[in-house]
Amino acid sequence: MADHRLRLEKMIETLRETGHRLTPQRLAVLKVLSLSEGHPSAEQVYEQVKDDFPTTSLATIYKTINLLKSVDQVLELGFAHASSRYDGNKPYPHPHVICTRCGRVVDPEHTAMRELSRDVAIDTGFRITHHRLDFYGLCPDCQEAD
Amino acid sequence: MADHRLRLEKMIETLRETGHRLTPQRLAVLKVLSLSEGHPSAEQVYEQVKDDFPTTSLATIYKTINLLKSVDQVLELGFAHASSRYDGNKPYPHPHVICTRCGRVVDPEHTAMRELSRDVAIDTGFRITHHRLDFYGLCPDCQEAD
DNA sequence: ATATGTGCAAATGGTTTGCAGTGAG
DNA sequence: CTCACTGCAAACCATTTGCACATAT
């Protein structure tokens, strides 16, 4: 579906452009994040990276993910009572469908709200119960403080 | 704006209907959550409750909030790297505008996405940089497992 | 060569939990 | 009178951090 190789190259290029080193551990993390169709947690990335790189630490996974976040090469889906899930394929805001039972995270094919919810249900087979829509930015006071 | 007294009564009624006791501490939490125009954190609720009730513990605040969540009388806005914020006035899903600098949470007046974002910016004065839209429900596998 | 990255282990911080004591119904 | 609730302190757990060592550039 998505061109994973291109994503990986884009990540690597971005790290270079921003003056960061490409260590083997980092490369392994980039690969998992760029190749994964799913939305893995840091722990899941860790498990995969350990296969080829047994000495890797979870801390390094987090550090690499944070680095990628800082250069907008990975999207973090943060939750209050569960670990964050990461999307390295589409590192820009887009809708997600999240199973409240098993935690599965799916990207709906369609991407406009009453009808959108219905479309998402049809696309994904989920039984939609609720949603979350947040806008982020600078409040008036914080714009002044710039 | 919102009818806070009605919200408080609704909360109390719901607790009664669901067989829960109304302790003074609980009542204090309900008041803060129902009266607040903002979207306080558990800590902020705690600070307010302590004013009238110095012996109250943060644990009790959390327990009460969780109780209210379980009967759909408060909406939790969960974040990965910050404490959750709670809305006792509108305990159903609705858009929020969140300042990425100071954490301020505002309810936009308008509520349909390209244009919605612009409307929200006009309504709130925020400079919108990104958004989050999640749908929650049961994935196909979990529907079967019911 | 040298600063950046790694890995360990300890710290963090919001939230939850166990349990003995308290009080609402 | 009883059982749900409170408050304390300890536990939890995802994530972050400090630091000595290693290594990409």
Side-chain angles (χ1 to χ4, degrees), chain B residues 78-90:
Chain B
F79 302 95
H81 308 286
S83 51
S84 289
R85 308 287 289 269
Y86 302 94
D87 188 339
N89 287 308
K90 310 201 306 193

Side-chain angles (χ1 to χ4, degrees), chain A residues 91-103:
Chain A
Y92 45 86
H94 60 278
H96 293 92
V97 191
I98 298 156
C99 185
T100 49
R101 179 195 251 236
C102 72

Side-chain angles (χ1 to χ4, degrees), chain B residues 73-124:
Chain B
Q73 288 304 309
V74 76
L75 180 73
E76 176 174 34
L77 284 177
F79 302 95
H81 308 286
S83 51
S84 289
R85 308 287 289 269
Y86 302 94
D87 188 339
N89 287 308
K90 310 201 306 193
Y92 46 85
H94 59 278
H96 294 92
V97 192
I98 298 156
C99 185
T100 49
R101 180 195 251 236
C102 72
R104 179 172 308 184
V105 180
V106 170
D107 284 359
E109 272 314 307
H110 294 82
T111 304
M113 193 83 166
R114 195 190 316 275
E115 293 194 344
L116 181 52
S117 181
R118 200 200 45 166
D119 287 349
V120 165
I122 292 172
D123 280 346
T124 62

Side-chain angles (χ1 to χ4, degrees), chain B:
Chain B
M1 216 94 266
D3 194 326
H4 299 133
R5 179 150 320 192
L6 271 186
R7 275 301 301 146
L8 179 56
E9 282 168 11
K10 171 68 176 169
M11 285 180 171
I12 294 172
E13 181 196 329
T14 302
L15 286 192
R16 276 215 191 88
E17 284 173 351
T18 52
H20 297 283
R21 295 181 181 169
L22 188 61
T23 64
Q25 295 92 324
R26 244 175 215 179
L27 181 57
V29 173
L30 300 208
K31 277 182 179 163
V32 172
L33 286 174
S34 65
L35 297 178
S36 162
E37 265 314 330
H39 300 72
S41 64
E43 191 73 39
Q44 291 169 329
V45 173
Y46 177 50
E47 291 307 326
Q48 285 199 59
V49 169
K50 268 205 303 193
D51 287 346
D52 306 286
F53 234 93
T55 67
T56 310
S57 73
L58 189 50
T60 294
I61 308 292
Y62 275 110
K63 284 168 185 166
T64 303
I65 288 176
N66 283 335
L67 175 59
L68 288 172
K69 277 201 298 179
S70 73
V71 295
D72 292 313
Q73 288 304 309
V74 76
L75 180 73
E76 176 174 34
L77 284 177
F79 302 95
H81 308 286
S83 51
S84 289
R85 308 287 289 269
Y86 302 94
D87 188 339
N89 287 308
K90 310 201 306 193
Y92 46 85
H94 59 278
H96 294 92
V97 192
I98 298 156
C99 185
T100 49
R101 180 195 251 236
C102 72
R104 179 172 308 184
V105 180
V106 170
D107 284 359
E109 272 314 307
H110 294 82
T111 304
M113 193 83 166
R114 195 190 316 275
E115 293 194 344
L116 181 52
S117 181
R118 200 200 45 166
D119 287 349
V120 165
I122 292 172
D123 280 346
T124 62
F126 273 55
R127 186 189 302 153
I128 305 295
T129 55
H130 56 296
H131 64 267
R132 174 170 167 172
L133 170 57
D134 294 340
F135 294 94
Y136 298 87
L138 290 178
C139 73
D141 290 357
C142 289
Q143 288 177 43
E144 275 181 33
D146 267 346

Side-chain angles (χ1 to χ4, degrees), chain A residues 117-128:
Chain A
S117 182
R118 198 200 49 164
D119 288 349
V120 166
I122 292 171
D123 280 347
T124 62
F126 272 56
R127 185 189 304 154
I128 306 295

